[in-house]
Amino acid sequence: MHIVIGDRTTVALFKLMGFEGRPVEDSAEALNFVVKNLDVYDAIFITSKIARVIRKELDEIRMRNPRKLVVEVPSVEEGMEREVNYLQIVRQVLGG
């Protein structure tokens, strides 16, 4: 199973692609969710805005759980200088 964690807009976009989603208000809520649900999901996508704040903790989770994918994706709500192809990101990470 795969899930995206982050702002409501990015979560809504990933839901349109068939993902589960968890909108969060802050990085502490996101980290708590990841830790509690690590066994449930094979791939966890976290928006860059959230991941930036908890990068050290996410790196530690990645090192302790090499079979789990914890991937940072650009947040839709952040001002991006270039177009982001979210479907291509998903395909590169998950294959297909």
Side-chain angles (χ1 to χ4, degrees):
M1 290 176 51
H2 318 301
I3 189 168
V4 65
I5 302 168
D7 59 82
R8 292 188 185 285
T9 308
T10 307
V11 168
L13 173 70
F14 273 79
K15 282 185 172 183
L16 289 172
M17 292 190 290
F19 277 71
E20 287 187 41
R22 170 71 179 215
V24 295
E25 298 298 322
D26 58 42
S27 56
E29 183 182 355
L31 182 59
N32 186 39
F33 182 83
V34 169
V35 170
K36 286 184 177 179
N37 294 282
L38 196 56
D39 292 334
V40 177
Y41 299 100
D42 298 319
I44 299 172
F45 293 81
I46 301 178
T47 58
S48 53
K49 188 175 179 180
I50 297 290
R52 193 175 303 123
V53 179
I54 56 173
R55 185 166 322 282
K56 182 179 176 183
E57 292 85 350
L58 291 176
D59 287 344
E60 194 171 307
I61 289 169
R62 288 180 185 110
M63 286 175 37
R64 290 184 180 172
N65 302 279
R67 294 181 185 257
K68 300 290 181 175
L69 289 173
V70 180
V71 180
E72 182 178 336
V73 294
S75 172
V76 173
E77 291 184 352
E78 290 183 315
M80 292 179 280
E81 296 178 5
R82 61 183 173 83
E83 185 177 320
V84 176
N85 186 335
Y86 290 95
L87 186 56
Q88 182 180 6
I89 292 171
V90 170
R91 285 182 176 157
Q92 285 177 340
V93 171
L94 300 179

